[in-house]
Structures are given as structure tokens and as C-alpha cells.
């Protein structure tokens, strides 16, 4: 490729400071060093965690950054020592790596490779950023930065996918869908014939509903304070719909009464600590399992010890518990085999330079997923 | 038996009101109704949950009551329809029932039978109905058991028949503390061979948890307590390391994390303190760490950063070590008789029921593990 080994100047949406619109800039993307892969991003989704960083997390040290972590693209060039990828490969950059060597990768119980961004103050634990703009280093959000025509990612955080996969669809498997679906299937381990509740019907919640259905749940209760979300939840398999605002009783009591004591599995797909507690309390005692899927690090979550002593289990997961390099290609294949829905999540299509409009839509709860076209394929 | 079908007058230690010493009284114990068993209590332990009710939760509707829930005895008579028990059987009253019919009994995942006080009256810790009266007043049966009494009446679904060879003044401890701690490790945490565990709190429940971790094959068992006098006994049960949080300025979770290259695989909170519960969770390794609440409290919330769970830790809790009660207690008795489960080593003091307040004081001061009170001759 003509650009191999050289700095690429390209367009990206840069978040210069918290709580401000992103700015389309020309950035410089350095060539991939050892074990790195430079990727031309073709399409990206906008995920609520991008907004969380911009509007809620807001650590000053975490800016400027290029956001976006739900993308798909084509390998432009590879760094020294990379044999697994070659230019032209279709890939999805991963928010969690899979080094395959650390004890976490070797354990079947977890996907949380220790080489990854651990959710701490460091926006990218995989080392130095490869992006600069106007002479400044620009951080690579979650190691991915898919709001950019080009990005550079460590090969342990890149998944090679089926060349037949349409990038403007499977980009969504880079976060939201895999996160929600996996939370149901891998983390909660929803069982056939069970009753589930999914709190929050954004993309992650809808994907959790889809996962509950795939796992054979008999009853899937979709919970949201926005009744406009129910129609799409039905598409993914929800059987019941509850709006907490329709009731004066606490939602956990409403669900408990609907289900003779509580649900078998609940998934919190909002990222709100009050909802997390309600989701736990909505589970049946004895065997109920509640999974925290939504992300927040602003407040503690709290509950009465009795909730756990009475036999409920509280868990959480990242990226749906999928080991990333293994799991994403499996989800792509499942999409191509029509076992996993992706198209139904897409409510809007725009281009990268409309990213602020896409962000506004999400802030107002008026979209599920907007796919931004970033580069030509 | 001469007393069958009649009210029995006997001695019991009555808690008339919260935060006051128990009073030895003569009480009336009604005969067992249908499905019930009247038991002569021979021996009882004193467990911290008795003190929790008396001194911490102090719910006014939970008094007057006869406390004690860790006892063993002999069946005196049975009520109509009871075929499973007969006069003379050695039994342990159970504070969780096992009706075998409800969906919780039918599920292999839980021991939390829906019959009994724990389903709804967890704040007053007793059913409303009682077979006890004293001085004309109804006296509640704490946790459905009331083992600080020469006689008690318990529903048969909450009575375990045990091996007649079992010494009642030892196996009474299987009525709560030892099963609770041991089971939390083996059944709830599901400690795995070769793993690293941490047990917070080295009372009887914590020591039993250490014993359970060892039985499950843990390679390393870190015993954590702010009272270093507790370490010697923890070693007897299999602890390999000892940490006193007061010896460190760093948070205990950080100390444990550094000792274990990132955190323990399993942690068990055996104190009943919400701050310790949080520390125990944070002491687990990310990815697969499991923390179990074993100690009881209902006074405050537990809290943690959501990140702790999102990073892959699991938070659980259990009652009575997750043992289905009627099935589990006889198994543990057998485990003791087969010398696979230690009991004698928990007993630091022996007294009589009349000395129950001394036993309570010992426990308040942390100067005992288990005092066994002799209640009636066998």
C-alpha cells in the first residue's frame, strides 16, 4: 500500500475538552510499530459510553481524545512482527484485548485480559497514542478511536472477520450488541424456560433481550421509562413491557408480583446505580442472578446484605464476557448465518462529520444506533 | 412419655426486652400440634446472631423471646400426623426448614425453603405463633428454634434426625455456626482445589469457613482478623496466612491484593459488617473472584463501585452455608463422626443454661469461640 510506513494525514472527530462538541480535524496517524495494525475505519456506531466519557466521566487528563469504539474497517498496513494480519483484511478493533497468554486469557471464567484498558483513569492502557493533531498528542479512547479515518491498534486487540461481512453493519458488534447479547448468554447464563428482565432498551438492552431469547428464556420483560422503546424490544423477543413510571410501587415489587416472587435473571443495561439495585431486587431469592451491563464509575451501587444472603447473585461484565478476538468473529458468523440480528439496531445512517448530530440524537433518546460512514471501503 | 399431650413447665432463659440480660424463668411449653415435634434440648451453643437480635437490631416486636438456635436434643413427643420422628430420637432443630415441596426445596440451586420465619419475618426473626408462654404472656420462639429452653416445639420440616451415636454436647454446634461457615465455602463460594481464599472474621463461622476452604482443597487460606489472639485457632483449622488489618495503613484489600498477585479467588465475610463486606469483595481478583456474605446484618446497606462487578467479581451470600437443612445436618454429623469435620476444637467453654448471660458476655468481649451450655440431662 502506498501509505505503508508513512504518517497518514486524515480526518477525525476530535474531543478537545469535556462537555463540548467534537471538532472535525486533520490528524496525523503514525505508522504501526511492532505488533501494531493500522486500520482504515469504514464505519462506526456511536455508543453511550462515548457520551459517558464526553459528558460524565470528564477527567481533564482524558482529553483531547478521539472517541468511538464500535467500528469496523480494513487493514491498511501492519507493523514489524505481525503475521496474523495483512493489508486488505476486514477487521473490528476491540475494546478489550485477548493476548492469549495472561492468566485471565487462559482462564475459561473471564474475558478480562490484563493487557487491556482497565477502566481506570488511563484512557488507553495499551500504551502511547499514535494520533497527533496540531502538534498535540491525542488519546485513543478505549484503544480504538473509531471516529477517525485511520487508527492504530495493537494486534491483540484486533479481530479478523469474514470478508463477506458488511462493515456498515458488523461495526455494531464492536461493542453494544456483543456486550448485551453476551451479558445474557455468557455472564448471566440465562437458562431455557427462565424468566428474565432487561432494564434499559438502548442497543445494549435490546441485545440483552436478543441474548435471553437465544438462550431459551420463556419470558422476557423489557423495562424502560420510555414507552417508545417497547416496539423494538418486541422485535428482539421481549414478551412483556413495563414502564416504572406507570406504577407508584417500586419496580422490583411490580416485577416480583408479575413473576410470583421475582425473575430468574435480570440485566441492567442503563448504567445507573439506582436501576442496578432495582434490578438486583427484582430477582427471585434463592437463585436469582443480576448482571450489571451498563457502565458507570461515578457512584457506588448499594443494596441490603439480605438481598445476597437470601441467595441472589450479583455479577457484572465487560463486552458480554466474550473473549474478544475469539468472540467477535463468532458473532459476525452468527450474523451472516442469520442467528444474530444486527440490521434491526440501525435507526439512522450518517457520515462521520455529522457525529455531533448523532450524539444529540442519542442524548435525546431518539435513536438506537446511528451508523456513521467514515471512509470508502 | 408421661408428659405427652400435656403442657410442660420448664426452665428457659427469656429475653424480655432488647439490650437487657436474659432472665431464667419457668415457662409453659404447649404440646406439639399437627406436624410438630416437642424436643428436650440437651445442649446449645451461643451464636452471635442471638446477640445481634438482643443488642443490635433490637426490634421491639421481636420480644419477649427465647433465643438460641444452635442446639441438639431428644424428641419428647410428636404431634398428630408425624411419622418421621418418635420419642427418643436424637435431633437438631433447624432455623431454616426443608419442606421438600416448595420450588426452592425442589431447586438444586438453593436451600431457602419458603416456609418459616426467614421468608417474611426476617426483622423480628420469629414466627408470630408460638408454643411458649411465661407469666401469662406469649413468648416468641427465636428463629423457630429457641434452644435456650429445656423444651421447645418445632415444625417437623425444621427438625433433622441425627445418628444416635452423636454426642449432643458437640453436634449442637452444627445447628448453626459450623454448618454456616463450612457450607459457605463448600456450597456457596464453591472453593476450588489449588485456589487462594481469604476469610474475614475468625469467630466460629469464620473458622468453619477456613475448615471448609481446606476441605475443598484450597492451597492458601488467609485468615483476617483485628484480634491477633484468633490466629492460633485459625491455624488449627487450616489457615496458612494471617493478616491483621490494624497492622497496615493501606486498605486491607490492597494488602491482600499485593500478597496474592492481584487478589484472592474466594473471599468469605464472616463478621456481619458492611464495611468488611466491601473490603472482602475488593480483595478478590478481577475476572473470576467470588465474595460471599456469610455474616448477618440488616441494619445498613452494602456498597461498592459498579466497576468491581463489571471487572468480573461475583457477589453472593448464603444462609446456613447453603445446606438444605434436613439433608445437610445429618451429613455434617456423619462428617464429624467420620472425623472429616472438626467440632470439638470450636468449644472453648462449657457452662449451664443458667450461666447464659456469662456466655453472652464472653462473646461480646471476643473471649470465646463457642461456649456450649448444658441445658438438660440427656
Amino acid at each position: 500500500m502506498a501509505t505503508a510506513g508513512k504518517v497518514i494525514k486524515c480526518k477525525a472527530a476530535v474531543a478537545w475538552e469535556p462537555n463540548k462538541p467534537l471538532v472535525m480535524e486533520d490528524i496525523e496517524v503514525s505508522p504501526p510499530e511492532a505488533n501494531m495494525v493500522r486500520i482504515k475505519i469504514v464505519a462506526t456506531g456511536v455508543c453511550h459510553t462515548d457520551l459517558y466519557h464526553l459528558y460524565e466521566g470528564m477527567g481533564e487528563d482524558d482529553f483531547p481524545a478521539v472517541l468511538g469504539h464500535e467500528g469496523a474497517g480494513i487493514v491498511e498496513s501492519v507493523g514489524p512482527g505481525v503475521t496474523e494480519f495483512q493489508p486488505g483484511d476486514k477487521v473490528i478493533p476491540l475494546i478489550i484485548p485477548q493476548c492469549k497468554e495472561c492468566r485471565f486469557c487462559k482462564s475459561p471464567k473471564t474475558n478480562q485480559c490484563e493487557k487491556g484498558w482497565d477502566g481506570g483513569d488511563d484512557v488507553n492502557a495499551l500504551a502511547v497514542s499514535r494520533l497527533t493533531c496540531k502538534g498535540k498528542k491525542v488519546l485513543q479512547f478505549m484503544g480504538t478511536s473509531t471516529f477517525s479515518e485511520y487508527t492504530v491498534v495493537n494486534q491483540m486487540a484486533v479481530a479478523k472477520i469474514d470478508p463477506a461481512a458488511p462493515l456498515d453493519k458488523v461495526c455494531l458488534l464492536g461493542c453494544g450488541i456483543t456486550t448485551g447479547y453476551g451479558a445474557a448468554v455468557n455472564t448471566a447464563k440465562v437458562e431455557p424456560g427462565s424468566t428474565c428482565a432487561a432494564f434499559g432498551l438502548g442497543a445494549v438492552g435490546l441485545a440483552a433481550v436478543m441474548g435471553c431469547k437465544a438462550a431459551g428464556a420463556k419470558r422476557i420483560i423489557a423495562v424502560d421509562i420510555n414507552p417508545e422503546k417497547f416496539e423494538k424490544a418486541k422485535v428482539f423477543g421481549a414478551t412483556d413491557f413495563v414502564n416504572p413510571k406507570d406504577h407508584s410501587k417500586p419496580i422490583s415489587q411490580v416485577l416480583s408480583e408479575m413473576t410470583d416472587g421475582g425473575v430468574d435473571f435480570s440485566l441492567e443495561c442503563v448504567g445507573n446505580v439506582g436501576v442496578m439495585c432495582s434490578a438486583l431486587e427484582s430477582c427471585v431469592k434463592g437463585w436469582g442472578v443480576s448482571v450489571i451491563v451498563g457502565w458507570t464509575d461515578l457512584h457506588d451501587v448499594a443494596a441490603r446484605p439480605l438481598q445476597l444472603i437470601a441467595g441472589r447473585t450479583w455479577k457484572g461484565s465487560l463486552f458480554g464476557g466474550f473473549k474478544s478476538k475469539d468472540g467477535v468473529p463468532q458473532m459476525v458468523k452468527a450474523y451472516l448465518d442469520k442467528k444474530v440480528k444486527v440490521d434491526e439496531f440501525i435507526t439512522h445512517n450518517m457520515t462521520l462529520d455529522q457525529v455531533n448530530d448523532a450524539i444529540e440524537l442519542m442524548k435525546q433518546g431518539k435513536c438506537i444506533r446511528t451508523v456513521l460512514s467514515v471512509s470508502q471501503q
Side-chain angles (χ1 to χ4, degrees), chain A:
Chain A
M1 185 148 297
T3 45
K6 300 179 187 159
V7 171
I8 287 179
K9 281 193 206 299
C10 69
K11 291 202 181 322
V14 176
W16 285 105
E17 38 181 333
N19 215 15
K20 292 270 159 62
L22 309 184
V23 182
M24 291 303 296
E25 303 278 13
D26 285 332
I27 68 168
E28 297 85 34
V29 182
S30 50
E33 294 174 26
N35 300 312
M36 309 287 274
V37 178
R38 190 158 60 183
I39 303 168
K40 179 171 79 169
I41 296 294
V42 171
T44 180
V46 177
C47 171
H48 199 272
T49 304
D50 295 309
L51 274 64
Y52 173 90
H53 184 77
L54 187 58
Y55 297 114
E56 294 179 72
M58 295 200 287
E60 276 184 4
D61 294 340
D62 302 337
F63 292 83
V66 172
L67 305 180
H69 61 280
E70 197 180 73
I74 297 173
V75 175
E76 171 268 345
S77 63
V78 303
V82 174
T83 52
E84 193 188 330
F85 299 94
Q86 59 190 8
D89 282 346
K90 279 189 176 176
V91 293
I92 286 177
L94 304 166
I95 58 178
I96 318 183
Q98 187 183 350
C99 76
K100 303 197 194 239
E101 289 172 357
C102 72
R103 58 187 178 131
F104 299 95
C105 281
K106 292 191 179 197
S107 166
K109 294 183 178 185
T110 181
N111 65 339
Q112 303 212 15
C113 173
E114 67 185 5
K115 303 289 187 336
W117 169 75
D118 62 0
D121 295 335
D122 179 4
V123 162
N124 172 15
L126 275 181
V128 180
S129 173
R130 301 286 176 281
L131 313 180
T132 55
C133 184
K134 298 177 164 137
K136 285 191 156 84
K137 179 174 84 173
V138 180
L139 296 169
Q140 288 183 256
F141 182 62
M142 296 178 86
T144 49
S145 288
T146 59
F147 292 170
S148 173
E149 290 178 329
Y150 287 85
T151 186
V152 179
V153 186
N154 192 300
Q155 65 174 340
M156 65 177 72
V158 184
K160 185 165 18 181
I161 62 171
D162 191 315
L167 298 177
D168 62 345
K169 304 286 191 286
V170 300
C171 55
L172 300 187
L173 294 170
C175 185
I177 298 178
T178 307
T179 293
Y181 185 92
V185 171
N186 301 326
T187 312
K189 298 187 177 28
V190 169
E191 294 171 1
S194 62
T195 295
C196 302
F199 288 72
L201 302 174
V204 170
L206 293 172
V209 168
M210 181 167 71
C212 291
K213 181 170 181 181
K218 182 174 73 178
R219 202 172 169 199
I220 304 168
I221 306 172
V223 183
D224 202 296
I225 54 174
N226 178 355
E228 290 178 22
K229 303 260 172 130
F230 295 158
E231 197 177 325
K232 190 139 266 191
K234 201 167 176 178
V235 166
F236 289 98
T239 58
D240 299 73
F241 309 90
V242 181
N243 182 345
K245 294 195 164 179
D246 290 347
H247 301 269
S248 49
K249 292 179 206 179
I251 184 63
S252 55
Q253 199 179 330
V254 174
L255 290 173
S256 187
E257 288 168 9
M258 280 172 75
T259 57
D260 184 32
V263 300
D264 303 309
F265 302 96
S266 71
L267 299 112
E268 198 279 1
C269 304
V270 178
N272 173 297
V273 295
V275 182
M276 291 171 188
C277 182
S278 297
L280 175 72
E281 292 176 349
S282 300
C283 284
V284 66
K285 74 165 193 178
W287 61 74
V289 175
S290 189
V291 179
I292 296 177
V293 193
W295 173 277
T296 184
D297 199 28
L298 297 178
H299 302 104
D300 281 352
V301 70
R304 284 168 77 198
L306 211 82
Q307 294 285 327
L308 302 186
I309 290 167
R312 293 173 190 80
T313 297
W314 220 354
K315 309 180 79 167
S317 66
L318 264 183
F319 202 48
F322 279 105
K323 286 186 185 289
S324 58
K325 282 182 75 134
D326 296 341
V328 167
Q330 288 167 11
M331 286 294 276
V332 170
K333 181 175 190 314
Y335 167 68
L336 294 171
D337 292 345
K338 299 195 186 318
K339 293 183 177 162
V340 164
K341 298 189 210 296
V342 173
D343 301 27
E344 292 83 343
F345 287 88
I346 303 169
T347 49
H348 299 77
N349 283 282
M350 295 182 180
T351 56
L352 180 62
D353 56 4
Q354 295 171 296
V355 64
N356 288 312
D357 295 339
I359 287 170
E360 278 306 305
L361 270 179
M362 180 164 266
K363 274 168 101 176
Q364 294 161 32
K366 291 190 179 313
C367 66
I368 295 300
R369 270 301 187 263
T370 299
V371 172
L372 303 177
S373 167
V374 180
S375 316
Q376 303 298 325
Q377 192 147 321

